[in-house]
Amino acid sequence: MTIYSVVSDFNISPFVGYLRRELGEGSKVVDLGNSTVQTVLMSWSEFPINGGSKIDRAVVWTRPEAMFPSFLDVLNGKLLNVSKLDREIEEFLDLLELASENLSALWVPLWVRSDFVRGMGIGEYKKGGLNWALQRINNGLIQRASLSGTIHVLDTYRWLSLSGLAHDPKLWFMGKIPFTNPIFRKAVCDLDAGRRALDGQTAKLIVLDLDGTLWGGIVGESGWSDLVLGGHDHVGEAYSDFQKALKALSCHGILLAVASRNQESVALEAIDSHPEMILRRNDFVGWRIDWNDKAENITSLASELNIGLSNIVFIDDQSAERSRVREALPEVVVPEWPDDPAIYVKALGELVVFDSFSVSDEDRQRKSLYAGENQRQASKLSSQSISEWLSKLQLTVSCESLTEDNISRAVQLLNKTNQVNLRTRRLSKEEFLCWSEQEDHECWVFSSKDRFGDSGIIGLVGLEPYNDGGTLADYVLSCRVLGRGIEQVLLHVALFRAFQKGWDTLWAECVPTEKNRPCLEIMNKMLRADESNKLRFFCDPKAGLTLPKHVQLEI
């Protein structure tokens, strides 16, 4: 069970209630609001829950006048002492950083002031003004969080802009609650999006309809030249902006595909030929443009791209199609979709399934990686056998130790990979570095390339001592390279390193989840199962594991 703590200087019980409801039974939310914020931050490890369990994730939500005395002075009309404010900012941020060392994630909403305080109006943005001071406080938080893999900033100003009435004086005077319920609900949505990112549950693929979704009109009836898209038309502009928003997501590594009831040649001609199209054929990693059931087509795309159904979002303007997919494929995210194209971009922005803590080079290149994958699959179909196809791949696997250059992608791989992940450990960059720097711990990061292109970083192996031998702390492999022998390469390197270390046995224990059965199958195939525990495996490093003949290994 994941334990969350909420720390605040005000009555935050409405937020806690919404958070408990959103997280459900798999998590516990502890309200530490009855303690002084600074005391909690300084003594985080002294707050055990349920007989020794420790807090894993936390939210620290405070008012600037409560945390920074200099800000309170300005609020009361006094002159701002800038150097004193800077010291207060640094001291509080140091406390946040100290607290974050014992957590996997610490969320901090940006500080805002009550909208009932006007002060000098436009003068508040001059040096020494209230807004100037608040900006300085928030900038300090943002800069500190950018250097931390554990501290994450939540955008309070976005909640204010989307929620109408943000402050109710009666709520404050009667219950010491500074925000209205819509603010707390927006906060929970953003926190849940961050939780999904931390737990590797973000969406990877958007499957889109065409008619009425990417453009106005029915291409099979009117032809591509009469579609409503772009131009000097407010509806056409709305469709164009929606495509731009999708394009931006694809630049962050979210894949796009099409499932449309149309004649394929006609629809592809529209995508290729319409001058106002933002998304072109090469922006899509796959499509099913036919008259078949869309649920079956989505399943087919998921299989082709090796993406789990729970990592797919389906967007269609037709409620009947949405209902059909929602019923047949409950794992797929199927949002209700507005009738008005002018609201499409807003509806896309309200989905909380695309958040990411960082964007790696592999993310930005993911579309081209899948293009290379399509070529591989075509080559596979034309080969007489799997062994013939593998021999033609000219596959090279590179292996290097964990470094500053590859740790961001390695952490992302650790946190996002579900199917081939031995223990499904979710660690921040700092936590992973701290683990790897312990005595006799090491991590090896694997990349692959073949005649169809570079697949980038696709796997990692973590090793740590255990009794007279060692154990696989991590065994992670991207599902898009499964079945090429790379899974064997990872174990080959792990056993070779165990042999070099003089370990008499290398152990591996699979922590089962709903999705990592492929990892269990790999362990069963390549290692010996412990008779007393079928989830535990071992091998003598001296025996090693043969390197596949079709793979060239570079260390």
Side-chain angles (χ1 to χ4, degrees):
M1 175 177 286
T2 304
I3 299 178
Y4 292 75
S5 172
V6 179
V7 184
S8 181
D9 67 286
F10 56 84
N11 182 354
I12 202 167
S13 55
F15 171 78
V16 171
Y18 289 128
L19 186 60
R20 284 173 177 154
R21 204 153 42 236
E22 184 66 36
L23 296 177
E25 296 180 357
S27 301
K28 181 180 179 65
V29 181
V30 180
D31 184 357
L32 294 178
N34 57 347
S35 305
T36 305
V37 172
Q38 287 88 342
T39 301
V40 173
L41 295 180
M42 286 188 292
S43 311
W44 207 270
S45 59
E46 297 176 11
F47 288 89
I49 308 296
N50 286 349
S53 298
K54 294 296 181 67
I55 295 165
D56 182 52
R57 301 171 183 179
V59 181
V60 177
W61 195 348
T62 58
R63 297 170 301 131
E65 58 267 35
M67 295 300 105
F68 308 102
S70 296
F71 183 84
L72 180 60
D73 287 343
V74 182
L75 193 62
N76 291 330
K78 298 178 183 179
L79 185 67
L80 175 65
N81 185 327
V82 177
S83 60
K84 183 170 178 285
L85 176 64
D86 287 344
R87 285 196 303 273
E88 292 166 1
I89 294 170
E90 286 302 308
E91 288 171 2
F92 189 75
L93 295 179
D94 286 344
L95 285 178
L96 288 177
E97 197 161 338
L98 178 67
S100 72
E101 293 176 359
N102 298 302
L103 301 167
S104 63
L106 173 61
W107 285 276
V108 185
L110 288 171
W111 287 284
V112 296
R113 65 185 180 92
S114 169
D115 54 9
F116 302 112
V117 178
R118 179 169 178 81
M120 297 182 296
I122 58 174
E124 295 295 356
Y125 281 99
K126 301 292 186 181
K127 184 175 181 179
L130 198 64
N131 291 338
W132 185 90
L134 192 60
Q135 192 88 345
R136 196 173 186 87
I137 294 170
N138 282 325
N139 284 343
L141 171 64
I142 292 168
Q143 291 174 14
R144 188 70 69 96
S146 69
L147 302 175
S148 169
T150 310
I151 301 174
H152 309 293
V153 176
L154 293 174
D155 188 0
T156 319
Y157 290 93
R158 177 174 172 273
W159 310 335
L160 299 182
S161 68
L162 295 174
S163 301
L165 179 65
H167 308 279
D168 185 339
K170 280 191 175 182
L171 281 176
W172 175 252
F173 290 120
M174 294 176 66
K176 293 298 176 280
I177 303 173
F179 300 105
T180 57
N181 284 343
I183 298 294
F184 291 128
R185 285 195 291 265
K186 291 291 183 186
V188 167
C189 283
D190 277 6
L191 185 65
D192 188 49
R195 176 198 64 80
R196 287 171 176 269
L198 196 65
D199 294 340
Q201 296 175 354
T202 50
K204 298 178 181 179
L205 173 70
I206 306 175
V207 180
L208 297 145
D209 178 42
L210 294 176
D211 296 333
T213 302
L214 287 188
W215 56 59
I218 301 174
V219 68
E221 295 180 0
S222 60
W224 65 261
S225 60
D226 290 329
L227 294 176
V228 180
L229 182 62
H232 300 289
D233 179 276
H234 73 282
V235 178
E237 284 187 18
Y239 283 114
S240 290
D241 272 12
F242 180 52
Q243 289 196 26
K244 290 175 184 176
L246 291 166
K247 182 92 168 181
L249 281 176
S250 74
C251 291
H252 290 168
I254 305 299
L255 303 173
L256 306 178
V258 171
S260 172
R261 294 184 186 276
N262 261 305
Q263 184 177 334
E264 183 179 281
S265 59
V266 173
L268 291 178
E269 182 185 12
I271 292 172
D272 293 338
S273 304
H274 199 292
E276 299 285 355
M277 279 293 295
I278 306 299
L279 299 172
R280 296 295 184 181
R281 191 186 298 211
N282 62 1
D283 287 306
F284 301 102
V285 294
W287 53 80
R288 296 292 185 271
I289 304 174
D290 51 35
W291 305 103
N292 296 333
D293 177 57
K294 288 193 178 182
E296 293 179 2
N297 280 341
I298 291 171
T299 303
S300 174
L301 281 166
S303 177
E304 176 185 304
L305 300 170
N306 207 359
I307 291 176
L309 291 173
S310 61
N311 296 118
I312 295 177
V313 176
F314 174 60
I315 295 177
D316 195 307
D317 67 305
Q318 296 294 314
S319 60
E321 297 288 9
R322 296 196 300 269
S323 297
R324 164 60 187 155
V325 172
R326 198 177 285 126
E327 180 182 357
L329 306 173
E331 307 100 313
V332 174
V333 177
V334 186
E336 281 304 315
W337 205 244
D339 295 327
D340 186 354
I343 311 177
Y344 281 11
V345 173
K346 179 177 180 290
L348 184 67
E350 289 176 347
L351 297 179
V352 294
V353 294
F354 302 119
D355 283 35
S356 176
F357 292 123
S358 63
V359 180
S360 66
D361 289 339
E362 277 79 5
D363 289 329
R364 299 189 186 281
Q365 298 167 6
R366 184 164 288 131
K367 183 174 62 180
S368 61
L369 295 177
Y370 274 86
E373 187 58 30
N374 289 338
Q375 292 178 299
R376 290 184 192 93
Q377 294 305 315
S379 169
K380 187 176 182 179
L381 291 173
S382 64
S383 299
Q384 297 295 319
S385 64
I386 294 295
S387 59
E388 178 189 333
W389 174 64
L390 290 173
S391 66
K392 289 179 179 179
L393 272 183
Q394 301 171 20
L395 180 60
T396 299
V397 176
S398 302
C399 172
E400 62 180 353
S401 58
L402 191 70
T403 66
E404 281 292 336
D405 292 333
N406 60 35
I407 187 169
S408 293
R409 169 57 182 162
V411 169
Q412 189 179 57
L413 193 68
L414 187 74
N415 289 321
K416 284 190 172 184
T417 305
N418 295 309
Q419 294 185 57
V420 184
N421 196 328
L422 186 69
R423 295 173 60 198
T424 317
R425 289 203 299 170
R426 307 305 195 190
L427 302 175
S428 68
K429 179 179 177 180
E430 285 72 18
E431 288 172 323
F432 199 30
L433 269 177
C434 182
W435 174 87
S436 67
E437 290 169 354
Q438 293 181 52
E439 185 178 358
D440 228 8
H441 287 207
E442 63 184 45
C443 177
W444 293 89
V445 180
F446 296 79
S447 305
S448 73
K449 61 183 178 181
D450 57 30
R451 67 188 181 97
F452 296 108
D454 193 330
S455 296
I457 294 175
I458 43 79
L460 63 87
V461 163
L463 298 169
E464 62 184 12
Y466 176 75
N467 292 338
D468 294 329
T471 186
L472 275 175
D474 295 294
Y475 176 89
V476 181
L477 182 66
S478 172
C479 57
R480 59 188 165 89
V481 297
L482 269 178
R484 299 177 200 171
I486 300 177
E487 50 269 41
Q488 189 170 333
V489 175
L490 267 62
L491 286 173
H492 168 87
V493 171
L495 285 163
F496 181 69
R497 288 296 299 142
F499 172 74
Q500 289 184 315
K501 288 172 172 289
W503 290 347
D504 59 4
T505 308
L506 181 66
W507 295 90
E509 184 165 358
C510 185
V511 179
T513 68
E514 292 181 359
K515 298 182 179 181
N516 72 345
R517 184 163 186 80
C519 191
L520 182 61
E521 292 172 354
I522 290 170
M523 295 295 122
N524 266 312
K525 182 179 178 181
M526 298 188 183
L527 302 178
R528 292 175 58 191
D530 187 341
E531 291 184 1
S532 61
N533 184 351
K534 296 302 181 183
L535 296 174
R536 203 157 182 254
F537 306 87
F538 65 95
C539 187
D540 183 351
K542 294 174 184 168
L545 194 64
T546 306
L547 193 69
K549 292 182 179 179
H550 65 277
V551 178
Q552 179 181 344
L553 176 62
E554 295 178 351
I555 299 181

